[in-house]
Amino acid sequence: MKTGVDVWESYPYELENRIRNLIWTVSGDYSLEVKPDLAEFSRSPEIAIYNGIKQGALAKYFDQDAIAMYLLKKIYCHADQRALMDTARLCIEEAVGWRLDREREGVRSLRKKALEKWLYQDFGRMSAYPLGRLMAASWREKLDGSYHGPEQIMRQLDRIHGLRQAETSEEIIAMIDSLYNDVVDPSFSMTLTEVLQVTPEELTEFSWSDYLKEELEDDSIRYVIERVTAEMLSSDEPSREGKTDEPAPAEGGDKIRKLLLIDDSVLEKSREYVQRNFGKSYLSLSEEKRITSRMCRGIHSDCGLFFTDGILKNPVVRNNQYVLAKGNKEKTLEYFRTNYRTIRHNIQILTDMLKRAFALRNEEDSILSDSGQIDPRQLWKAGRSEDARLFRRVLRRDSMDFVVDFLIDASGSQRKRQREVAMQAYIICEAMSNLGIPMRVMSFCTFWDYTVLRRFREYGDDRSANENIFEFTTSSNNRDGLAIRTVGQGLLEREESNKVLIVLSDGKPYDVMINRPNARNPEPYAGHRAALDAGTEVRRLRQNNVAVLGVFVGEESELAAERKIFGKDFAYIRSIDHFSNTVGRYLLRQIEN
């Protein structure tokens, strides 16, 4: 008698057709695009066939594309991919499995065998973290008819039982999102509404190798949706190809993200693709390579740097990203017009505070010296003391010997406060322009291997350049340490005596490295490791007499990470109304010192 593996090896096309027909029969939709997982069948025929039937049922009762699209958006917003897929499998099994039991008696025994094998094969991984333990409890409940265990797991099981009455895809999505946020990552800061607001165009910026194709964006998204649909229904781990076993997501630890692997032919296209999404580089390729080789070392050794004035200033093509950037600028301008009086008031407050400080610096100081104008009060020392300071010398300080850099986190996690961040940058720019202080403004995000530094104004630009900040937009990840190192180096090379770097961020450095085959394979840039790196760069600049201020605009739960990076010199901005006073006080302290 042939085993399932023998059948798979002998009749792969026949088997694929049989599984496809099962899915079509259950779903009642013979136009449904189906790609059976024959590799999964070789490991467990029961699981593969049951997952195929479940896919048909999901397509029949719910909108599987909507669920897959939600999962893509959640991953884009920095959710852990494996844990999110586990959450989706758990919820989909609860929503679909009971319907199959009720309507198709023949599926019951197959479902039981599949769950038994699934529990047996994956029990070690399941038992290693909270969501896995909930999954294992759910599978045992379905096999034994009941489950008795810790009260917390019992409450969670009762909660997901509500999916047995689910009528819409939105109910499943809401449960996946809620369960993930409560059980997997309680610190996840974005609401379901904010996650769903991510557009398909924004998804093309994320690290999915398929998006490097030059076809229409919808085709790329369609392909990834099919992949995600298969993963959320499969018992196998996501993207298992070419990977060794990984630990389960750790309780309370840093998020564990898979490292995406792409080949060299794709990487050759990556810089061109970055230009299509962010605009042409304002540096020559040789100059960019020189800076990259100097800055991208140590923890950033496999990274690249890309310098641009933005897609609206220097586009390669007028694509979807160009249209989105243009629409975003219009919304920011509308926000500016709506809040014009508040913004002008903040500019005036900050300007007046700094003017007073510079006026104090203009006052002359005098010190005792061995040369200068004789001080009669010191003449008694002559012949009586070794102190030869009988004169008084006047010190005149250059009150405007200042230069300021403003570096803004432009990662996707800043999306919900995008307009406010742009206005805060504009307030500082206008105040510095009022005082004639040279200032450079740049934003940073990480896309593929590249940390993209977007320039809004240079030190010598006139006031009109301040309005470039209305083009500020957010996307992708953020490698704070590399951005601070690169911008800080430019500041160190300035001639001014007094150098100030203001970094506006949400205190959450996070980047997933896309690695070349056979290259070093560093851990994801996140958690303590990323905060330590960014903090090291801040301390290095301070040791070189650069005053560094962190302006924190994130959630209160991230304050600890912000303190790790900036120490005591950071300002927590809860409202744009208090922005000028808070930042102004810090700048005053730097001027006075």
Side-chain angles (χ1 to χ4, degrees), residues 451-519:
T451 288
V452 179
L453 290 161
R454 200 285 194 202
R455 180 176 64 179
F456 296 99
R457 65 162 291 138
E458 267 292 356
Y459 301 111
D461 288 346
D462 60 31
R463 183 188 295 273
S464 63
N466 295 342
E467 295 183 7
N468 291 335
I469 198 64
F470 296 146
E471 297 174 13
F472 175 73
T473 189
T474 59
S475 67
S476 305
N477 300 327
N478 51 308
R479 189 167 278 262
D480 295 40
L482 179 55
I484 292 170
R485 176 188 295 181
T486 304
V487 171
Q489 185 59 39
L491 196 55
L492 289 171
E493 293 169 2
R494 295 284 298 183
E495 294 181 355
E496 288 85 355
S497 301
N498 304 288
K499 302 176 175 68
V500 178
L501 172 61
I502 302 171
V503 183
L504 193 152
S505 73
D506 62 0
K508 293 173 67 175
Y510 189 87
D511 183 34
V512 178
M513 173 70 78
I514 301 176
N515 293 284
R516 300 164 181 82
N518 304 317

Side-chain angles (χ1 to χ4, degrees), residues 530-542:
L532 179 63
D533 172 64
T536 298
E537 296 301 328
V538 168
R539 287 189 292 276
R540 184 180 67 83
L541 287 173
R542 286 173 176 162

Side-chain angles (χ1 to χ4, degrees), residues 335-451:
Y335 181 92
F336 171 72
R337 288 189 288 267
T338 302
N339 297 276
Y340 179 77
R341 294 185 65 180
T342 301
I343 292 165
R344 298 310 306 178
H345 181 64
N346 272 267
I347 292 169
Q348 194 58 52
I349 289 174
L350 186 54
T351 300
D352 291 344
M353 289 175 74
L354 297 180
K355 268 185 180 177
R356 286 195 295 272
F358 283 128
L360 290 174
R361 280 183 61 88
N362 279 331
E363 295 177 359
E364 295 180 349
D365 279 345
S366 64
I367 61 170
L368 290 175
S369 176
D370 57 5
S371 63
Q373 186 176 1
I374 194 165
D375 183 349
R377 290 173 297 180
Q378 307 300 321
L379 290 177
W380 66 269
K381 296 178 183 177
R384 295 186 178 88
S385 171
E386 294 181 1
D387 186 355
R389 294 179 300 167
L390 307 178
F391 304 87
R392 189 163 291 277
R393 185 155 55 91
V394 175
L395 296 179
R396 291 181 177 84
R397 294 177 293 185
D398 183 355
S399 67
M400 305 306 284
D401 190 25
F402 273 79
V403 62
V404 178
D405 257 80
F406 193 19
L407 180 62
I408 310 170
D409 174 5
S411 64
S413 60
Q414 292 276 59
R415 182 175 296 105
K416 61 184 178 181
R417 59 183 74 93
Q418 188 167 282
R419 319 282 177 235
E420 291 87 346
V421 167
M423 291 308 105
Q424 289 163 357
Y426 181 74
I427 288 167
I428 289 184
C429 288
E430 285 289 289
M432 295 299 164
S433 294
N434 288 340
L435 298 169
I437 296 174
M439 181 176 191
R440 179 175 63 171
V441 182
M442 303 187 85
S443 69
F444 69 98
C445 67
T446 302
F447 182 79
W448 290 87
D449 277 338
Y450 290 93
T451 288

Side-chain angles (χ1 to χ4, degrees), residues 517-560:
N518 304 317
R520 284 184 293 274
N521 192 30
E523 301 172 27
Y525 186 81
H528 174 74
R529 182 170 183 262
L532 179 63
D533 172 64
T536 298
E537 296 301 328
V538 168
R539 287 189 292 276
R540 184 180 67 83
L541 287 173
R542 286 173 176 162
Q543 289 165 3
N544 284 279
N545 298 316
V546 175
V548 183
L549 168 67
V551 178
F552 177 64
V553 291
E555 304 297 331
E556 196 164 350
S557 59
E558 303 298 335
L559 277 171

Side-chain angles (χ1 to χ4, degrees), residues 3-15:
T3 65
V5 176
D6 294 330
V7 171
W8 176 68
E9 291 175 345
S10 304
Y11 308 105
Y13 299 113
E14 180 182 339
L15 178 61

